[in-house]
Amino acid sequence: SPPAAVSQVTVRDALNQALDEELERDERVFLLGEEVAQYDGAYKISRGLWKKYGDKRVIDTPISEMGFAGIAVGAAMVWLRPVCEFMTFNFSMQAIDQVINSAAKTCYMSAGSIAVPIVFRGPNGASAGVAAQHSQCFAAWYGHCPGLKVVSPWSSEDAKGLLKAAIRDDNPVVMLESELLYGVPFEMSEQAQSKEFVIPIGKAKIEKPGTHVTLVAHSRPVGHCLEAAAVLSKEGVECEVINLRTIRPMDIETVEASVVKTNHLVTVEGGWPQFGVGAEICARIMEGPAFNYLDAPAVRVTGADVPMPYAKILEDNSIPQVKDIVFAVKKALNI
């Protein structure tokens, strides 16, 4: 059979495709948030959707996260399927009561009789030069809470497949995107561009097989891990790179199987070290069957334990770079 067609698609276009397809597929789906309609989205994720679907399906909201997130949660409780965009996840703090106390807990507190099929999505973590109030990663915050599912895509395929899965899921899903990835093109297969393409929530992907050390990351640091792996490969070190894709429920089995094979673990994330995603992975490996296979302590590569500085050079020093990953791998391997 001829090779499947592969084309380059940006993360922005992959998200736009997913929203377009799901709005078309199910009339209960609607998008709301600041600037999502007439302006085509602050980051142009919703470009063309208002013109195509109109005011009832793509809704511009006032600057009031607590208000529009609450409206969205209420709509989900009566079986609509809202996609609620936060212009940055830092602003979801205004609405965290709605996300946690209303959306996440209602199914349990209603003994399963009220589902809340909602997606909260938008850029998460550091961008470039937006300082402390716009640069925090909320993966650990939202990943902490039962009742939520939390996804964190890296590639265009991740973005499309996970957003479609999130919209179709009957649970509240928090989708943490990276603003710095929106304009980045990735190869997407014909299959990934089909209308029925979804990525199961809760399943990690091995982006590069390897034998010497397991690198686990989510969102933008996955790319850094692959770059570090390419550098280390020239020195005879083969890294296995795992793209988590989902923060909750976490696919610890894939990480365990890899650690059993490589005997070394390095976790990489843009968030803060304390109580972070890497800390959780290390604890789960420690408590599980893979611990006996470790030949050295696991190493975490994280953001610096400071509010994000504004100056570019300080910002670069606060976010994991390729050199930091290479250094951590050498430390884990004692080379």
Side-chain angles (χ1 to χ4, degrees):
S1 64
V6 171
S7 47
Q8 295 269 327
V9 180
T10 64
V11 170
R12 172 181 289 109
D13 290 341
L15 290 165
N16 181 270
Q17 229 176 67
L19 287 167
D20 189 6
E21 289 169 11
E22 295 306 301
L23 282 160
E24 185 178 63
R25 176 178 175 269
D26 187 341
E27 61 186 18
R28 297 170 301 175
V29 175
F30 69 98
L31 174 67
L32 80 169
E34 293 145 357
E35 310 276 25
V36 298
Q38 294 187 33
Y39 187 68
D40 275 345
Y43 303 102
K44 301 295 176 257
I45 303 298
S46 51
R47 185 189 283 134
L49 298 179
W50 174 67
K51 275 203 174 72
K52 185 169 176 182
Y53 295 101
D55 289 327
K56 282 207 161 60
R57 308 286 303 283
V58 183
I59 303 166
D60 277 330
T61 62
I63 303 176
S64 173
E65 278 74 14
M66 181 182 273
F68 69 75
I71 287 169
V73 171
M77 286 177 177
V78 293
W79 215 239
L80 292 175
R81 303 188 87 89
V83 178
C84 175
E85 177 180 309
F86 295 122
M87 202 177 280
T88 140
F89 257 91
N90 297 265
F91 302 161
S92 77
M93 292 297 91
Q94 302 287 336
I96 198 165
D97 178 60
Q98 309 286 11
V99 180
I100 305 300
N101 285 327
S102 302
K105 297 176 183 176
T106 292
C107 185
Y108 178 82
M109 293 178 72
S110 66
S113 65
I114 303 173
V116 189
I118 186 170
V119 180
F120 301 101
R121 53 154 295 272
N124 168 69
S127 178
V130 293
Q133 290 203 335
H134 302 78
S135 295
Q136 188 176 338
C137 173
F138 290 94
W141 283 49
Y142 286 118
H144 181 63
C145 298
L148 289 179
K149 293 185 179 182
V150 182
V151 297
S152 182
W154 167 60
S155 65
S156 300
E157 182 179 299
D158 291 351
K160 182 176 181 191
L162 288 170
L163 181 52
K164 287 172 74 81
I167 292 170
R168 295 181 190 191
D169 201 292
D170 286 341
N171 299 280
V173 182
V174 171
M175 179 151 171
L176 305 169
E177 301 157 12
S178 165
E179 185 189 328
L180 292 174
L181 289 173
Y182 283 154
V184 177
F186 287 88
E187 287 192 349
M188 256 179 112
S189 65
E190 214 169 347
Q191 178 210 1
Q193 293 193 63
S194 88
K195 287 190 175 180
E196 287 314 304
F197 178 73
V198 291
I199 288 171
I201 292 173
K203 198 81 200 81
K205 182 188 178 193
I206 296 171
E207 295 288 348
K208 176 193 173 294
T211 50
H212 296 129
V213 60
T214 299
L215 289 174
V216 189
H218 62 94
S219 190
R220 190 161 168 262
V222 174
H224 296 349
C225 287
L226 289 169
E227 286 178 49
V231 171
L232 286 156
S233 183
K234 294 195 176 90
E235 300 180 34
V237 175
E238 292 304 325
C239 303
E240 181 143 298
V241 179
I242 297 177
N243 171 8
L244 270 183
R245 285 181 163 174
T246 306
I247 306 299
R248 179 183 193 103
M250 189 177 277
D251 181 3
I252 209 70
E253 294 78 17
T254 294
V255 181
E256 279 175 343
S258 179
V259 170
V260 165
K261 182 172 76 168
T262 68
N263 313 113
H264 297 89
L265 173 64
V266 174
T267 67
V268 186
E269 66 193 301
W272 292 315
Q274 193 154 319
F275 313 111
V277 175
E280 175 66 18
I281 294 166
C282 291
R284 297 275 279 276
I285 292 300
M286 173 106 187
E287 291 164 353
F291 175 70
N292 296 315
Y293 290 84
L294 278 175
D295 288 345
V299 180
R300 290 180 294 160
V301 180
T302 69
D305 200 15
V306 295
M308 184 60 69
Y310 173 67
K312 181 166 185 357
I313 188 159
L314 296 176
E315 183 178 69
D316 289 345
N317 279 297
S318 302
I319 304 169
Q321 307 293 336
V322 172
K323 63 177 171 43
D324 303 317
I325 301 167
V326 171
F327 179 81
V329 167
K330 289 182 171 178
K331 180 179 166 186
L333 293 172
N334 198 23
I335 52 176

